Amino acid sequence: MPNVVVIGAQWGDEGKGKVVDLLTEHADVVVRFQGGNNAGHTLVVGGQKTVLHLIPSGILHPGKACVIGNGVVVDPDVLAHEIAELKARGLLQDDGQLVLSLDAHVIMPWHKAIDVAREQRMGDAKIGTTGRGIGPTYEDKVARRGLRVRDLLDEARLARKVRERIAAARDELARLGATLDLDEATVVRKYADLGKRLVPYAKDASLWLHGAIKAGKSLLFEGAQGTLLDVDHGTYPFVTSSNTVAGNAATGAGVGPTAIDRVIGISKAYSTRVGGGPYPSELKDATGEKLRQLGGEFGATTGRPRRCGWIDALALRYAARVNGLDGIALTKLDVLTGFPEIKIAVAYRCGDQTFDEMPSDLETLERCEAVYEALPGWTEKLDGVRRWEDLPKTARTYVERVAELTGVKIVAVSVGADRGETIVLENPFRVPR
């Protein structure tokens, strides 16, 4: 059975959690490889809604193992709460179902305080972070001064590292006009206690995954955010602080790149974006508001309203290139029901220039306007459709046109929020290596 990576092919919030949850049936292990609790995966199974921020979406399947890799930054308070909530619902009864990398970096209170203070200081130029401390934690990781999960398990080491870091954090906050009202000893006690709560799950995740691969287990790698928020390949600086593209699945989990066999990108049938940054196909009119309301486009983590627009073929072609997409799962097709015509951005216009591919320069991209191709819409409700041939002809034509413009086949179409409301055209786990 192949090992498959599922990533976001837009600006995040594409419905990755639902697709991962659906594909988990065919995998043995689900691996989260980057990001933190700035991401939220919303799952609806049997009408019951579950929002996960750190634990992989596969946790709703009994007997499936879930791994939080070294590339994730972990807020231990959030993770402990998420575990407790799942256990209260009768899930995660076997602690062996969850593996937490000892090498995952830990979000500390000063990271969150610095994150919020910086955004407030930037005013209108702010990036639009969630304030969860993700960026400052990745900064400490790269600066080689971060704390990792393994540090929570040794109180003496934890106390030493907190003492070394907290003074510099206070100095930075003072420069930002903020304060850190934290007692060092209290922080150590709290995080040592969190370490005790998380110790049943803390392991050498790379070694654990190597054993799973050697045993013939099938892995499903779950990304967070989306391609265009990648710190290297996204619309920098309006990006997240980690690599969201498929190539980071290997680095963020501790496996070799040859362990990856298939890459599936997730895209909404339209587009959305949260926070600042260029967005050529954004609709700042009644149509955009209609998409927001019909699609329930409010952040699972922050509740912020998402910016909405038509699907962007240039952005999807770019995502296909930097991820090496083998297929696209198109979500929320049902939201487009009732629109008399549906548009696809097929080019950008910037002054007297026309672009057929997404320009790499941010300032150029900010001046671009989308050039659209219009297709007829449909009025039939799609939530009960389970076969491709039962979709309205105009809906099939739209999906086929997206595939044609991106050069990537559509492998699944989602027509509702529930796990079962999906038309699977090709299962990536059933394609031979």
Side-chain angles (χ1 to χ4, degrees):
M1 296 288 283
N3 298 324
V4 177
V5 179
V6 169
I7 56 89
Q10 296 171 302
W11 287 271
D13 308 308
E14 301 96 344
K16 295 179 294 296
K18 175 186 174 177
V19 175
V20 169
D21 175 61
L22 181 71
L23 292 177
T24 297
E25 177 187 348
H26 310 283
D28 300 301
V29 182
V30 184
V31 188
R32 170 82 180 271
F33 62 86
Q34 52 82 212
N37 60 304
N38 54 339
H41 287 167
T42 302
L43 315 172
V44 181
V45 182
Q48 185 171 20
K49 181 178 177 180
T50 302
V51 180
L52 297 168
H53 298 284
L54 286 168
I55 297 176
S57 306
I59 202 69
L60 301 188
H61 293 256
K64 305 291 183 176
C66 291
V67 177
I68 299 173
N70 57 275
V72 179
V73 290
V74 175
D75 187 325
D77 212 356
V78 171
L79 179 56
H81 180 70
E82 202 163 286
I83 289 169
E85 282 195 334
L86 289 169
K87 285 183 174 290
R89 289 175 48 190
L91 299 166
L92 191 52
Q93 295 305 296
D94 176 9
D95 286 342
Q97 192 182 355
L98 179 63
V99 174
L100 169 63
S101 173
L102 285 162
D103 293 328
H105 278 248
V106 174
I107 299 171
M108 299 298 289
W110 54 81
H111 294 132
K112 290 180 272 191
I114 289 169
D115 201 359
V116 171
R118 284 178 181 171
E119 280 286 277
Q120 290 174 344
R121 187 72 174 266
M122 290 177 74
D124 292 340
K126 63 186 178 182
I127 300 298
T129 77
T130 60
R132 269 37 177 202
I134 310 301
T137 306
Y138 275 117
E139 286 178 36
D140 276 4
K141 174 180 178 176
V142 174
R144 295 164 293 185
R145 63 190 180 201
L147 281 79
R148 299 186 292 179
V149 169
R150 63 174 69 250
D151 297 321
L152 305 184
L153 311 184
D154 181 330
E155 191 165 347
R157 183 196 298 179
L158 175 64
R160 184 182 77 249
K161 293 204 169 192
V162 168
R163 184 171 59 253
E164 291 169 352
R165 184 68 188 96
I166 201 167
R170 285 198 175 101
D171 288 345
E172 180 169 358
L173 283 164
R175 289 193 297 271
L176 292 168
T179 58
L180 185 64
D181 186 20
L182 285 174
D183 175 71
E184 188 177 305
T186 302
V187 172
V188 172
R189 283 196 301 272
K190 176 180 178 179
Y191 282 79
D193 180 62
L194 286 166
K196 291 172 184 174
R197 293 170 65 183
L198 297 177
V199 72
Y201 315 101
K203 293 180 176 65
D204 182 335
S206 173
L207 182 61
W208 191 95
L209 287 167
H210 177 74
I213 293 169
K214 195 172 180 180
K217 303 291 186 183
S218 189
L219 277 53
L220 176 59
F221 296 90
E222 173 189 67
Q225 289 93 28
T227 297
L228 294 164
L229 295 180
D230 184 281
V231 69
D232 285 305
H233 304 290
T235 53
Y236 187 90
F238 297 96
V239 293
T240 193
S241 301
S242 60
N243 288 111
T244 63
V245 294
N248 193 37
T251 306
V255 301
T258 52
I260 297 170
D261 300 296
R262 298 279 180 275
V263 181
I264 303 300
I266 314 302
S267 168
K268 284 175 181 164
Y270 47 102
S271 64
T272 62
R273 177 168 192 161
V274 173
Y279 181 13
S281 67
E282 181 177 9
L283 298 171
K284 300 179 181 179
D285 56 11
T287 301
E289 183 59 32
K290 184 177 179 180
L291 283 170
R292 182 178 298 114
Q293 295 302 324
L294 290 176
E297 297 299 349
F298 301 90
T301 298
T302 63
R304 289 184 294 181
R306 296 173 184 142
R307 300 157 66 188
C308 296
W310 297 120
I311 200 167
D312 186 332
L314 288 75
L316 285 180
R317 280 201 298 275
Y318 178 75
R321 170 159 55 90
V322 297
N323 289 291
L325 295 184
D326 295 298
I328 291 174
L330 203 64
T331 63
K332 290 196 169 184
L333 185 66
D334 54 300
V335 172
L336 297 181
T337 292
F339 286 87
E341 70 174 14
I342 299 164
K343 295 181 180 180
I344 302 174
V346 294
Y348 297 153
R349 186 175 293 116
C350 182
D352 58 356
Q353 284 186 290
T354 299
F355 294 92
D356 295 321
E357 299 293 341
M358 178 175 279
S360 59
D361 182 68
L362 180 84
E363 293 186 11
T364 301
L365 188 59
E366 285 178 325
R367 297 194 302 270
C368 286
E369 296 180 352
V371 177
Y372 294 109
E373 176 181 305
L375 284 80
W378 59 89
T379 58
E380 299 92 330
K381 290 188 175 182
L382 306 184
D383 52 353
V385 177
R386 296 295 178 271
R387 299 190 311 162
W388 169 255
E389 54 268 30
D390 293 335
L391 285 172
K393 186 177 186 303
T394 49
R396 296 198 306 272
T397 299
Y398 174 71
V399 173
E400 288 164 351
R401 185 59 176 151
V402 170
E404 184 179 4
L405 287 167
T406 58
V408 181
K409 61 187 171 184
I410 306 297
V411 297
V413 178
S414 172
V415 293
D418 199 271
R419 178 192 290 168
E421 294 177 316
T422 309
I423 301 167
V424 178
L425 301 173
E426 179 181 291
N427 184 339
F429 283 102
R430 299 302 185 197
V431 180
R433 287 178 188 263

